[in-house]
Amino acid sequence: MPAVSCSAPGKVILCGEHAVVYGTPAIALPVFQVATTVKIIAKPIAEPGTVLIKAPSISLDDSLAALDKKNPLRAAVELIMQELGIHHLPACEILIHTTLPVSAGLGSSASVTVALARAISTYLGHPFHDETVNQITYEIEKLHHGSPSGIDNTVITYGTPVYFQRGKPMEYPKIARSFTLIIADTGIKGSTAEAVAGVRKCWEADKNSYETIFTEIGLITQRIRCNLESGNIESIGVELTHNHVLLKHIGVSNSKLDQLVNAAIQAGAWGAKLSGGGLGGNMIALVDPDLAPQIAQELIDRGAAQTIIATIPASSGERL
Ligand code: PMV
């Protein structure tokens, strides 16, 4: 096959992050306005086994063999080959193009692995089932983030809203009415691994208080799910803002995130919160679609590096 190209979306966590690591539910949504595309181009005249890997967004242009063994891209290709039962790839060039900002809570690492697993397996004539893509991506997420809950790989693999609870079968919430989110980037890189480790340290020091907060976040997530299912979209706003306050209590917000959350609410958003690991990265605001452009502009005026207006379509709750 001369060339194959596969894509994967980004994602946002609507609610429940961090607490999800401790067993409560979270809801994540795919975001198709940003995406990763992996293209595999055969190089039949190159030396067999020569694999070049190019990812301009991280200034990577090298041979796969030259990458450190612990490099997540190399580890991903090796895990994909292992799953396919092969030791070498035919000579090729792997081009990774992503419009997702890195370390911004939009799932860039999972998006790259999903697109890579699909592209390589399709290129070799054995396209993986989603379950395999999800499992491989989860393994690689561990290299990026330490002990991830599994929510990022799941929502990005299946490309549909997910209600995720560790150790339980995945559920797909019904979205009775479409809604609009503004996703605004603080421009500050947030390390999810650092944020998760920081929460763990505090939880170890004061389990009672932290578990009370995690339980409250889990209840917020359940109420949000009910409102998504009944189409009561506006009332989700106040829950999101409450979720932000609790995330702030566990130490994963920062002044820029708080500033953008407040700016969104002052500009007329129904509610807003940080999304993902925090300590930087993105925040989300739930807005009336008619007001979205003006609230997005207000966020830029108040220091957001970039905004995305995302429409989350209504869905039946069936797997797409
Ligand atoms: O920073 P993100 O978008 O990858 O989200 C991390 C979500 C956490 O709940 C903080 C960690 C996890 O593994 O679920």
PDB file of all heavy atoms in Angstrom, residues 14-15 25 27 163 215-233 235-240 242-243 246:
ATOM      1  N   LEU A  14     -15.658  17.253  30.516  1.00  0.00           N
ATOM      2  CA  LEU A  14     -16.746  18.161  30.901  1.00  0.00           C
ATOM      3  C   LEU A  14     -16.779  18.313  32.424  1.00  0.00           C
ATOM      4  O   LEU A  14     -16.936  19.412  32.944  1.00  0.00           O
ATOM      5  CB  LEU A  14     -18.083  17.614  30.374  1.00  0.00           C
ATOM      6  CG  LEU A  14     -19.321  18.461  30.662  1.00  0.00           C
ATOM      7  CD1 LEU A  14     -19.250  19.800  29.938  1.00  0.00           C
ATOM      8  CD2 LEU A  14     -20.600  17.719  30.261  1.00  0.00           C
ATOM      9  N   CYS A  15     -16.631  17.193  33.127  1.00  0.00           N
ATOM     10  CA  CYS A  15     -16.677  17.253  34.604  1.00  0.00           C
ATOM     11  C   CYS A  15     -16.090  15.962  35.162  1.00  0.00           C
ATOM     12  O   CYS A  15     -16.030  14.956  34.462  1.00  0.00           O
ATOM     13  CB  CYS A  15     -18.131  17.399  35.079  1.00  0.00           C
ATOM     14  SG  CYS A  15     -19.241  16.159  34.390  1.00  0.00           S
ATOM     15  N   PRO A  25     -17.284   8.986  38.869  1.00  0.00           N
ATOM     16  CA  PRO A  25     -17.423   9.096  37.412  1.00  0.00           C
ATOM     17  C   PRO A  25     -17.001  10.455  36.850  1.00  0.00           C
ATOM     18  O   PRO A  25     -16.984  11.453  37.576  1.00  0.00           O
ATOM     19  CB  PRO A  25     -18.929   8.897  37.199  1.00  0.00           C
ATOM     20  CG  PRO A  25     -19.561   9.295  38.486  1.00  0.00           C
ATOM     21  CD  PRO A  25     -18.580   9.013  39.568  1.00  0.00           C
ATOM     22  N   ILE A  27     -17.256  12.773  32.880  1.00  0.00           N
ATOM     23  CA  ILE A  27     -17.806  12.793  31.517  1.00  0.00           C
ATOM     24  C   ILE A  27     -16.801  13.497  30.607  1.00  0.00           C
ATOM     25  O   ILE A  27     -16.322  14.592  30.940  1.00  0.00           O
ATOM     26  CB  ILE A  27     -19.168  13.531  31.474  1.00  0.00           C
ATOM     27  CG1 ILE A  27     -20.195  12.775  32.317  1.00  0.00           C
ATOM     28  CG2 ILE A  27     -19.662  13.683  30.019  1.00  0.00           C
ATOM     29  CD1 ILE A  27     -21.526  13.492  32.490  1.00  0.00           C
ATOM     30  N   TYR A 163     -19.297   8.423  29.627  1.00  0.00           N
ATOM     31  CA  TYR A 163     -19.448   8.521  31.085  1.00  0.00           C
ATOM     32  C   TYR A 163     -18.556   7.423  31.605  1.00  0.00           C
ATOM     33  O   TYR A 163     -18.803   6.238  31.377  1.00  0.00           O
ATOM     34  CB  TYR A 163     -20.915   8.281  31.439  1.00  0.00           C
ATOM     35  CG  TYR A 163     -21.251   8.324  32.910  1.00  0.00           C
ATOM     36  CD1 TYR A 163     -21.612   9.516  33.518  1.00  0.00           C
ATOM     37  CD2 TYR A 163     -21.254   7.163  33.675  1.00  0.00           C
ATOM     38  CE1 TYR A 163     -21.959   9.555  34.865  1.00  0.00           C
ATOM     39  CE2 TYR A 163     -21.600   7.194  35.019  1.00  0.00           C
ATOM     40  CZ  TYR A 163     -21.956   8.398  35.602  1.00  0.00           C
ATOM     41  OH  TYR A 163     -22.307   8.436  36.932  1.00  0.00           O
ATOM     42  N   THR A 215     -16.232  12.770  46.413  1.00  0.00           N
ATOM     43  CA  THR A 215     -17.628  12.308  46.395  1.00  0.00           C
ATOM     44  C   THR A 215     -18.530  13.410  45.847  1.00  0.00           C
ATOM     45  O   THR A 215     -19.416  13.154  45.017  1.00  0.00           O
ATOM     46  CB  THR A 215     -18.083  11.917  47.825  1.00  0.00           C
ATOM     47  OG1 THR A 215     -17.174  10.942  48.299  1.00  0.00           O
ATOM     48  CG2 THR A 215     -19.487  11.372  47.856  1.00  0.00           C
ATOM     49  N   GLU A 216     -18.293  14.644  46.292  1.00  0.00           N
ATOM     50  CA  GLU A 216     -19.111  15.778  45.827  1.00  0.00           C
ATOM     51  C   GLU A 216     -18.947  15.960  44.311  1.00  0.00           C
ATOM     52  O   GLU A 216     -19.922  16.183  43.587  1.00  0.00           O
ATOM     53  CB  GLU A 216     -18.698  17.042  46.605  1.00  0.00           C
ATOM     54  CG  GLU A 216     -19.512  18.272  46.302  1.00  0.00           C
ATOM     55  CD  GLU A 216     -21.029  18.097  46.490  1.00  0.00           C
ATOM     56  OE1 GLU A 216     -21.467  17.289  47.334  1.00  0.00           O
ATOM     57  OE2 GLU A 216     -21.763  18.756  45.764  1.00  0.00           O
ATOM     58  N   ILE A 217     -17.712  15.822  43.824  1.00  0.00           N
ATOM     59  CA  ILE A 217     -17.492  15.950  42.371  1.00  0.00           C
ATOM     60  C   ILE A 217     -18.233  14.831  41.628  1.00  0.00           C
ATOM     61  O   ILE A 217     -18.843  15.061  40.577  1.00  0.00           O
ATOM     62  CB  ILE A 217     -15.970  15.948  42.033  1.00  0.00           C
ATOM     63  CG1 ILE A 217     -15.308  17.222  42.598  1.00  0.00           C
ATOM     64  CG2 ILE A 217     -15.736  15.835  40.520  1.00  0.00           C
ATOM     65  CD1 ILE A 217     -13.794  17.314  42.407  1.00  0.00           C
ATOM     66  N   GLY A 218     -18.228  13.634  42.211  1.00  0.00           N
ATOM     67  CA  GLY A 218     -18.945  12.514  41.584  1.00  0.00           C
ATOM     68  C   GLY A 218     -20.443  12.791  41.503  1.00  0.00           C
ATOM     69  O   GLY A 218     -21.100  12.476  40.498  1.00  0.00           O
ATOM     70  N   LEU A 219     -20.997  13.421  42.562  1.00  0.00           N
ATOM     71  CA  LEU A 219     -22.437  13.742  42.561  1.00  0.00           C
ATOM     72  C   LEU A 219     -22.743  14.811  41.505  1.00  0.00           C
ATOM     73  O   LEU A 219     -23.771  14.747  40.819  1.00  0.00           O
ATOM     74  CB  LEU A 219     -22.878  14.212  43.953  1.00  0.00           C
ATOM     75  CG  LEU A 219     -22.818  13.121  45.035  1.00  0.00           C
ATOM     76  CD1 LEU A 219     -23.069  13.711  46.411  1.00  0.00           C
ATOM     77  CD2 LEU A 219     -23.844  12.021  44.719  1.00  0.00           C
ATOM     78  N   ILE A 220     -21.829  15.781  41.366  1.00  0.00           N
ATOM     79  CA  ILE A 220     -22.003  16.803  40.321  1.00  0.00           C
ATOM     80  C   ILE A 220     -22.069  16.119  38.952  1.00  0.00           C
ATOM     81  O   ILE A 220     -22.927  16.411  38.121  1.00  0.00           O
ATOM     82  CB  ILE A 220     -20.825  17.821  40.354  1.00  0.00           C
ATOM     83  CG1 ILE A 220     -20.924  18.705  41.597  1.00  0.00           C
ATOM     84  CG2 ILE A 220     -20.777  18.657  39.076  1.00  0.00           C
ATOM     85  CD1 ILE A 220     -19.748  19.654  41.784  1.00  0.00           C
ATOM     86  N   THR A 221     -21.155  15.187  38.726  1.00  0.00           N
ATOM     87  CA  THR A 221     -21.117  14.484  37.432  1.00  0.00           C
ATOM     88  C   THR A 221     -22.427  13.747  37.176  1.00  0.00           C
ATOM     89  O   THR A 221     -22.965  13.783  36.059  1.00  0.00           O
ATOM     90  CB  THR A 221     -19.922  13.503  37.403  1.00  0.00           C
ATOM     91  OG1 THR A 221     -18.731  14.268  37.593  1.00  0.00           O
ATOM     92  CG2 THR A 221     -19.835  12.742  36.096  1.00  0.00           C
ATOM     93  N   GLN A 222     -22.960  13.115  38.220  1.00  0.00           N
ATOM     94  CA  GLN A 222     -24.228  12.391  38.024  1.00  0.00           C
ATOM     95  C   GLN A 222     -25.367  13.358  37.688  1.00  0.00           C
ATOM     96  O   GLN A 222     -26.199  13.075  36.823  1.00  0.00           O
ATOM     97  CB  GLN A 222     -24.577  11.597  39.278  1.00  0.00           C
ATOM     98  CG  GLN A 222     -23.688  10.374  39.438  1.00  0.00           C
ATOM     99  CD  GLN A 222     -23.925   9.667  40.754  1.00  0.00           C
ATOM    100  OE1 GLN A 222     -24.957   9.833  41.387  1.00  0.00           O
ATOM    101  NE2 GLN A 222     -22.965   8.885  41.184  1.00  0.00           N
ATOM    102  N   ARG A 223     -25.380  14.514  38.373  1.00  0.00           N
ATOM    103  CA  ARG A 223     -26.454  15.491  38.086  1.00  0.00           C
ATOM    104  C   ARG A 223     -26.294  16.045  36.661  1.00  0.00           C
ATOM    105  O   ARG A 223     -27.279  16.237  35.954  1.00  0.00           O
ATOM    106  CB  ARG A 223     -26.422  16.640  39.112  1.00  0.00           C
ATOM    107  CG  ARG A 223     -26.882  16.204  40.494  1.00  0.00           C
ATOM    108  CD  ARG A 223     -27.204  17.404  41.369  1.00  0.00           C
ATOM    109  NE  ARG A 223     -26.042  18.200  41.700  1.00  0.00           N
ATOM    110  CZ  ARG A 223     -25.271  18.033  42.784  1.00  0.00           C
ATOM    111  NH1 ARG A 223     -25.554  17.070  43.630  1.00  0.00           N
ATOM    112  NH2 ARG A 223     -24.246  18.819  43.015  1.00  0.00           N
ATOM    113  N   ILE A 224     -25.047  16.269  36.260  1.00  0.00           N
ATOM    114  CA  ILE A 224     -24.823  16.784  34.894  1.00  0.00           C
ATOM    115  C   ILE A 224     -25.310  15.751  33.873  1.00  0.00           C
ATOM    116  O   ILE A 224     -25.959  16.094  32.883  1.00  0.00           O
ATOM    117  CB  ILE A 224     -23.340  17.165  34.682  1.00  0.00           C
ATOM    118  CG1 ILE A 224     -23.029  18.428  35.501  1.00  0.00           C
ATOM    119  CG2 ILE A 224     -23.025  17.368  33.197  1.00  0.00           C
ATOM    120  CD1 ILE A 224     -21.613  18.947  35.415  1.00  0.00           C
ATOM    121  N   ARG A 225     -25.026  14.501  34.127  1.00  0.00           N
ATOM    122  CA  ARG A 225     -25.499  13.465  33.200  1.00  0.00           C
ATOM    123  C   ARG A 225     -27.026  13.498  33.073  1.00  0.00           C
ATOM    124  O   ARG A 225     -27.567  13.425  31.960  1.00  0.00           O
ATOM    125  CB  ARG A 225     -25.037  12.088  33.672  1.00  0.00           C
ATOM    126  CG  ARG A 225     -25.495  11.018  32.716  1.00  0.00           C
ATOM    127  CD  ARG A 225     -25.152   9.630  33.152  1.00  0.00           C
ATOM    128  NE  ARG A 225     -25.599   8.706  32.117  1.00  0.00           N
ATOM    129  CZ  ARG A 225     -25.209   7.464  32.031  1.00  0.00           C
ATOM    130  NH1 ARG A 225     -24.357   6.971  32.900  1.00  0.00           N
ATOM    131  NH2 ARG A 225     -25.666   6.691  31.073  1.00  0.00           N
ATOM    132  N   CYS A 226     -27.710  13.624  34.215  1.00  0.00           N
ATOM    133  CA  CYS A 226     -29.188  13.671  34.172  1.00  0.00           C
ATOM    134  C   CYS A 226     -29.645  14.862  33.330  1.00  0.00           C
ATOM    135  O   CYS A 226     -30.579  14.752  32.530  1.00  0.00           O
ATOM    136  CB  CYS A 226     -29.771  13.810  35.571  1.00  0.00           C
ATOM    137  SG  CYS A 226     -29.579  12.335  36.538  1.00  0.00           S
ATOM    138  N   ASN A 227     -28.985  16.005  33.513  1.00  0.00           N
ATOM    139  CA  ASN A 227     -29.381  17.203  32.760  1.00  0.00           C
ATOM    140  C   ASN A 227     -29.063  17.085  31.269  1.00  0.00           C
ATOM    141  O   ASN A 227     -29.803  17.598  30.435  1.00  0.00           O
ATOM    142  CB  ASN A 227     -28.722  18.449  33.357  1.00  0.00           C
ATOM    143  CG  ASN A 227     -29.365  18.837  34.667  1.00  0.00           C
ATOM    144  OD1 ASN A 227     -30.577  18.688  34.842  1.00  0.00           O
ATOM    145  ND2 ASN A 227     -28.575  19.306  35.610  1.00  0.00           N
ATOM    146  N   LEU A 228     -27.979  16.403  30.945  1.00  0.00           N
ATOM    147  CA  LEU A 228     -27.674  16.172  29.521  1.00  0.00           C
ATOM    148  C   LEU A 228     -28.769  15.302  28.913  1.00  0.00           C
ATOM    149  O   LEU A 228     -29.208  15.514  27.792  1.00  0.00           O
ATOM    150  CB  LEU A 228     -26.330  15.443  29.352  1.00  0.00           C
ATOM    151  CG  LEU A 228     -25.057  16.245  29.621  1.00  0.00           C
ATOM    152  CD1 LEU A 228     -23.841  15.325  29.584  1.00  0.00           C
ATOM    153  CD2 LEU A 228     -24.900  17.360  28.584  1.00  0.00           C
ATOM    154  N   GLU A 229     -29.214  14.320  29.711  1.00  0.00           N
ATOM    155  CA  GLU A 229     -30.196  13.373  29.187  1.00  0.00           C
ATOM    156  C   GLU A 229     -31.589  13.978  29.080  1.00  0.00           C
ATOM    157  O   GLU A 229     -32.384  13.562  28.248  1.00  0.00           O
ATOM    158  CB  GLU A 229     -30.197  12.097  30.038  1.00  0.00           C
ATOM    159  CG  GLU A 229     -28.854  11.396  29.886  1.00  0.00           C
ATOM    160  CD  GLU A 229     -28.777  10.012  30.476  1.00  0.00           C
ATOM    161  OE1 GLU A 229     -29.561   9.686  31.374  1.00  0.00           O
ATOM    162  OE2 GLU A 229     -27.904   9.263  30.022  1.00  0.00           O
ATOM    163  N   SER A 230     -31.864  14.976  29.954  1.00  0.00           N
ATOM    164  CA  SER A 230     -33.204  15.582  29.880  1.00  0.00           C
ATOM    165  C   SER A 230     -33.189  16.846  29.021  1.00  0.00           C
ATOM    166  O   SER A 230     -34.239  17.461  28.819  1.00  0.00           O
ATOM    167  CB  SER A 230     -33.708  15.896  31.290  1.00  0.00           C
ATOM    168  OG  SER A 230     -32.853  16.858  31.864  1.00  0.00           O
ATOM    169  N   GLY A 231     -32.016  17.270  28.579  1.00  0.00           N
ATOM    170  CA  GLY A 231     -31.929  18.458  27.713  1.00  0.00           C
ATOM    171  C   GLY A 231     -31.972  19.760  28.494  1.00  0.00           C
ATOM    172  O   GLY A 231     -32.147  20.838  27.929  1.00  0.00           O
ATOM    173  N   ASN A 232     -31.763  19.650  29.814  1.00  0.00           N
ATOM    174  CA  ASN A 232     -31.802  20.820  30.686  1.00  0.00           C
ATOM    175  C   ASN A 232     -30.405  21.461  30.722  1.00  0.00           C
ATOM    176  O   ASN A 232     -29.709  21.449  31.732  1.00  0.00           O
ATOM    177  CB  ASN A 232     -32.222  20.321  32.073  1.00  0.00           C
ATOM    178  CG  ASN A 232     -32.751  21.420  32.924  1.00  0.00           C
ATOM    179  OD1 ASN A 232     -32.796  22.568  32.491  1.00  0.00           O
ATOM    180  ND2 ASN A 232     -33.127  21.084  34.146  1.00  0.00           N
ATOM    181  N   ILE A 233     -29.982  21.979  29.582  1.00  0.00           N
ATOM    182  CA  ILE A 233     -28.579  22.346  29.376  1.00  0.00           C
ATOM    183  C   ILE A 233     -28.146  23.527  30.268  1.00  0.00           C
ATOM    184  O   ILE A 233     -27.083  23.468  30.896  1.00  0.00           O
ATOM    185  CB  ILE A 233     -28.318  22.667  27.879  1.00  0.00           C
ATOM    186  CG1 ILE A 233     -28.619  21.435  27.002  1.00  0.00           C
ATOM    187  CG2 ILE A 233     -26.897  23.166  27.657  1.00  0.00           C
ATOM    188  CD1 ILE A 233     -27.778  20.215  27.264  1.00  0.00           C
ATOM    189  N   SER A 235     -28.943  24.525  33.135  1.00  0.00           N
ATOM    190  CA  SER A 235     -28.691  24.257  34.552  1.00  0.00           C
ATOM    191  C   SER A 235     -27.374  23.490  34.774  1.00  0.00           C
ATOM    192  O   SER A 235     -26.928  23.342  35.912  1.00  0.00           O
ATOM    193  CB  SER A 235     -29.869  23.527  35.171  1.00  0.00           C
ATOM    194  OG  SER A 235     -30.010  22.316  34.516  1.00  0.00           O
ATOM    195  N   ILE A 236     -26.762  23.028  33.706  1.00  0.00           N
ATOM    196  CA  ILE A 236     -25.447  22.376  33.858  1.00  0.00           C
ATOM    197  C   ILE A 236     -24.393  23.429  34.238  1.00  0.00           C
ATOM    198  O   ILE A 236     -23.396  23.128  34.905  1.00  0.00           O
ATOM    199  CB  ILE A 236     -25.067  21.648  32.539  1.00  0.00           C
ATOM    200  CG1 ILE A 236     -26.016  20.470  32.324  1.00  0.00           C
ATOM    201  CG2 ILE A 236     -23.609  21.200  32.547  1.00  0.00           C
ATOM    202  CD1 ILE A 236     -25.878  19.775  30.980  1.00  0.00           C
ATOM    203  N   GLY A 237     -24.658  24.689  33.839  1.00  0.00           N
ATOM    204  CA  GLY A 237     -23.677  25.752  34.060  1.00  0.00           C
ATOM    205  C   GLY A 237     -23.258  25.884  35.512  1.00  0.00           C
ATOM    206  O   GLY A 237     -22.066  25.883  35.844  1.00  0.00           O
ATOM    207  N   VAL A 238     -24.243  25.938  36.393  1.00  0.00           N
ATOM    208  CA  VAL A 238     -23.941  26.150  37.807  1.00  0.00           C
ATOM    209  C   VAL A 238     -23.160  24.958  38.377  1.00  0.00           C
ATOM    210  O   VAL A 238     -22.271  25.103  39.227  1.00  0.00           O
ATOM    211  CB  VAL A 238     -25.253  26.491  38.571  1.00  0.00           C
ATOM    212  CG1 VAL A 238     -26.208  25.337  38.604  1.00  0.00           C
ATOM    213  CG2 VAL A 238     -24.973  26.980  39.955  1.00  0.00           C
ATOM    214  N   GLU A 239     -23.456  23.772  37.860  1.00  0.00           N
ATOM    215  CA  GLU A 239     -22.735  22.573  38.319  1.00  0.00           C
ATOM    216  C   GLU A 239     -21.266  22.647  37.889  1.00  0.00           C
ATOM    217  O   GLU A 239     -20.359  22.266  38.630  1.00  0.00           O
ATOM    218  CB  GLU A 239     -23.363  21.300  37.722  1.00  0.00           C
ATOM    219  CG  GLU A 239     -24.834  21.099  38.031  1.00  0.00           C
ATOM    220  CD  GLU A 239     -25.096  20.614  39.459  1.00  0.00           C
ATOM    221  OE1 GLU A 239     -24.144  20.473  40.255  1.00  0.00           O
ATOM    222  OE2 GLU A 239     -26.283  20.388  39.767  1.00  0.00           O
ATOM    223  N   LEU A 240     -21.047  23.135  36.658  1.00  0.00           N
ATOM    224  CA  LEU A 240     -19.666  23.237  36.164  1.00  0.00           C
ATOM    225  C   LEU A 240     -18.866  24.206  37.041  1.00  0.00           C
ATOM    226  O   LEU A 240     -17.723  23.932  37.409  1.00  0.00           O
ATOM    227  CB  LEU A 240     -19.641  23.725  34.706  1.00  0.00           C
ATOM    228  CG  LEU A 240     -20.235  22.784  33.646  1.00  0.00           C
ATOM    229  CD1 LEU A 240     -20.125  23.426  32.261  1.00  0.00           C
ATOM    230  CD2 LEU A 240     -19.540  21.424  33.646  1.00  0.00           C
ATOM    231  N   HIS A 242     -19.447  25.032  40.109  1.00  0.00           N
ATOM    232  CA  HIS A 242     -19.225  24.394  41.421  1.00  0.00           C
ATOM    233  C   HIS A 242     -18.076  23.384  41.323  1.00  0.00           C
ATOM    234  O   HIS A 242     -17.213  23.298  42.207  1.00  0.00           O
ATOM    235  CB  HIS A 242     -20.542  23.719  41.858  1.00  0.00           C
ATOM    236  CG  HIS A 242     -20.486  23.123  43.225  1.00  0.00           C
ATOM    237  ND1 HIS A 242     -21.419  22.233  43.677  1.00  0.00           N
ATOM    238  CD2 HIS A 242     -19.605  23.257  44.247  1.00  0.00           C
ATOM    239  CE1 HIS A 242     -21.111  21.851  44.903  1.00  0.00           C
ATOM    240  NE2 HIS A 242     -20.007  22.462  45.269  1.00  0.00           N
ATOM    241  N   ASN A 243     -18.034  22.642  40.236  1.00  0.00           N
ATOM    242  CA  ASN A 243     -16.942  21.691  40.012  1.00  0.00           C
ATOM    243  C   ASN A 243     -15.598  22.434  40.000  1.00  0.00           C
ATOM    244  O   ASN A 243     -14.598  21.990  40.580  1.00  0.00           O
ATOM    245  CB  ASN A 243     -17.167  20.950  38.689  1.00  0.00           C
ATOM    246  CG  ASN A 243     -16.291  19.723  38.491  1.00  0.00           C
ATOM    247  OD1 ASN A 243     -16.518  18.921  37.586  1.00  0.00           O
ATOM    248  ND2 ASN A 243     -15.265  19.548  39.296  1.00  0.00           N
ATOM    249  N   LEU A 246     -14.422  23.244  43.492  1.00  0.00           N
ATOM    250  CA  LEU A 246     -13.875  22.066  44.178  1.00  0.00           C
ATOM    251  C   LEU A 246     -12.485  21.708  43.647  1.00  0.00           C
ATOM    252  O   LEU A 246     -11.594  21.308  44.405  1.00  0.00           O
ATOM    253  CB  LEU A 246     -14.840  20.881  44.045  1.00  0.00           C
ATOM    254  CG  LEU A 246     -16.193  21.095  44.757  1.00  0.00           C
ATOM    255  CD1 LEU A 246     -17.166  19.972  44.414  1.00  0.00           C
ATOM    256  CD2 LEU A 246     -16.023  21.167  46.273  1.00  0.00           C
TER     257      LEU A 246
END
